Amino acid sequence: MRKREEDQSARLIRCGLGILLGGVMALAICCLFLLGVSVAISSGLGGAERMYQLTIVGCVLGSFGGGLFAVRQCSGGLLTGLAVGTVFFLLLLTIGALFFETAELEAGGIGLLCGGLCGGAAAGLLAAGRGKPVRKKHRKR
């Protein structure tokens, strides 16, 4: 019984670390996407009027990528993807509170939260079925 409890705690730590690393990976993917968008806008390929929508797209893409990583680490599903989206949003909120004067959810934070949760949930739903195939037991005849 003791060995089983150690296995469960090791699995829980691995899953928690996977979720945390997935959130950090989501932040990195989002920042890279937004860097590309800012380069495209500054070179004249796009207009700045769609900046908020592109930020939400970056959140969805980042959360999706981080969610795929975490779901593969934890062998989890929808809840793991949602947890990555939540960690990603909390990282965005923390960075916003540290570097800006105000971090208000009314100034577009709800869209970022929904984008992060939707991207993580999509990753959880898509990657959940790609685990190890289950073998059917053959009946003795």
Side-chain angles (χ1 to χ4, degrees), residues 15-130:
C15 189
L17 185 62
I19 289 171
L20 187 62
L21 288 176
V24 171
M25 184 181 287
L27 183 65
I29 292 171
C30 181
C31 286
L32 287 175
F33 175 78
L34 292 177
L35 178 68
V37 166
S38 66
V39 167
I41 288 174
S42 66
S43 66
L45 295 176
E49 64 271 357
R50 299 196 194 275
M51 186 171 51
Y52 181 66
Q53 289 86 0
L54 289 171
T55 304
I56 293 176
V57 169
C59 286
V60 171
L61 291 176
S63 181
F64 184 76
L68 285 177
F69 174 77
V71 168
R72 289 184 183 141
Q73 290 289 320
C74 298
S75 67
L78 178 64
L79 290 178
T80 303
L82 288 173
V84 169
T86 303
V87 168
F88 171 60
F89 176 71
L90 290 175
L91 286 173
L92 285 177
L93 198 62
T94 303
I95 290 171
L98 288 175
F99 292 114
F100 300 106
E101 293 176 8
T102 60
E104 299 174 359
L105 291 179
E106 293 85 21
I110 301 297
L112 300 178
L113 173 64
C114 291
L117 289 177
C118 288
L125 290 174
L126 289 177
R130 294 185 182 179

